[in-house]
Every structure is written in structure tokens, then in C-alpha cells.
Amino acid sequence: MDIRSARPLDRYFAGYSGDHSNATNQAIHVVAVPAILWSAIALLWCVPPLLPWFQHGIWAALAMFGTWAYYNRLSRPLGIGMLMLFFVAGCICRLLEDRLGIPLLLRIGIGVFVLAWIAQFIGHRIEGRRPSFLTDLTYLLIGPIWVLAKLYRQFGWRY
């Protein structure tokens, strides 16, 4: 198949996969990318709402909705999977907010974010290639569905 005639998702995956061919880097990404996604949601969760009748998490919810809409447009099956992952991530943030409070959720989110990015850069050092997002910021959004697509392929699910 000619990559120019492929779906946009297939073109993104081809570009992303080209920068992630090393097995160790891929394994790091399978752990670090979801960690970064969750931590970004957690950090947005901690941003105070502007209006008093909103609760913490409104900014995370808006970001998750916008990102989900993008994913759903690229692939309905991956969009459904990401919707479920966003729901779980939101539930985890809400649970941690309830049990630990916003200040500790913020610290955990920062810690996970920093550690996961360090892991990512170690993976790219092993790979010997720059991260994809340095050439196109869209790849920051492609990473999570690339990892999810790997899971789908393991189960034989089409996307």
C-alpha cells in the first residue's frame, strides 16, 4: 500500500513507528506513554476551576473530550478504547483527589510526569533517534493511540 494513499492514522503510525523500532524503546514507551497521559490529566485535574460551581477536574475533562474527539475521528475503535482509558484516568484522579487531596495529587502527577519523560528520553537514547514530537507536535497525541493500537493488534482487533 502506498503510504500517501493510506488513512491519516496509518501515515502517523508509519512515521511514529519509524522512530520507535528498537524493542527496548518500544517497551519503555508502552509504560511511559500511558504514564505521561495520566499525569497530564492529573496535572490538568489540579488546575482550579474559574467558576465556583465547577469542580476540580473540569479542565482535564475538557482536554480529554477534545483529545477523544480527535482520536475518534482518526479511528472509531481506537476512539472507543481511548474513551474507556480517559474514563479510568478520570476515576483515578477523582479517587486520589478524594483520598489524598489536590496538593498530593499535584505532587504525584508532577513526579510521574518527570519520571516518565526521563524514561522516554532514555528509550530514545537507546534507539539513537530523536523523539517524533520534535519534528511534529501532533506526535504527542499519536503516542497514546500507537500504544493502544499495539494492544489491539495483540488481541487481533481491527482499528
Side-chain angles (χ1 to χ4, degrees):
M1 170 174 58
D2 182 14
I3 195 67
R4 291 172 299 195
S5 65
R7 301 180 297 174
L9 178 66
D10 296 325
R11 289 193 302 266
Y12 283 128
F13 281 176
Y16 197 86
S17 294
D19 292 333
H20 303 85
S21 59
N22 178 280
T24 302
N25 189 24
Q26 286 186 22
I28 289 170
H29 275 62
V30 165
V31 174
V33 167
I36 290 169
L37 179 65
W38 177 81
S39 63
I41 292 167
L43 294 174
L44 286 170
W45 195 278
C46 296
V47 176
L50 294 177
L51 301 171
W53 59 84
F54 286 128
Q55 295 183 352
H56 278 278
I58 186 68
W59 301 117
L62 292 172
M64 286 187 286
F65 178 77
T67 306
W68 167 79
Y70 175 71
Y71 291 152
N72 199 52
R73 205 177 85 213
L74 288 174
S75 163
R76 180 78 38 101
L78 288 173
I80 292 168
M82 289 305 297
L83 182 63
M84 291 188 292
L85 291 174
F86 284 146
F87 177 76
V88 170
C91 288
I92 292 169
C93 288
R94 179 64 186 101
L95 179 68
L96 291 174
E97 174 192 1
D98 187 51
R99 304 286 164 112
L100 305 175
I102 288 294
L104 194 50
L105 175 59
L106 179 61
R107 282 189 230 127
I108 292 168
I110 290 169
V112 169
F113 190 83
V114 169
L115 291 174
W117 272 110
I118 289 170
Q120 291 275 75
F121 282 106
I122 289 170
H124 279 285
R125 177 74 178 219
I126 292 167
E127 175 97 28
R129 296 186 64 99
R130 295 172 16 156
S132 299
F133 75 87
L134 293 177
T135 58
D136 184 347
L137 288 176
T138 305
Y139 285 112
L140 286 171
L141 294 173
I142 297 304
I145 58 172
W146 182 80
V147 170
L148 185 60
K150 286 177 76 64
L151 178 68
Y152 275 38
R153 284 191 295 275
Q154 291 222 328
F155 285 110
W157 298 343
R158 296 175 55 105
Y159 59 84

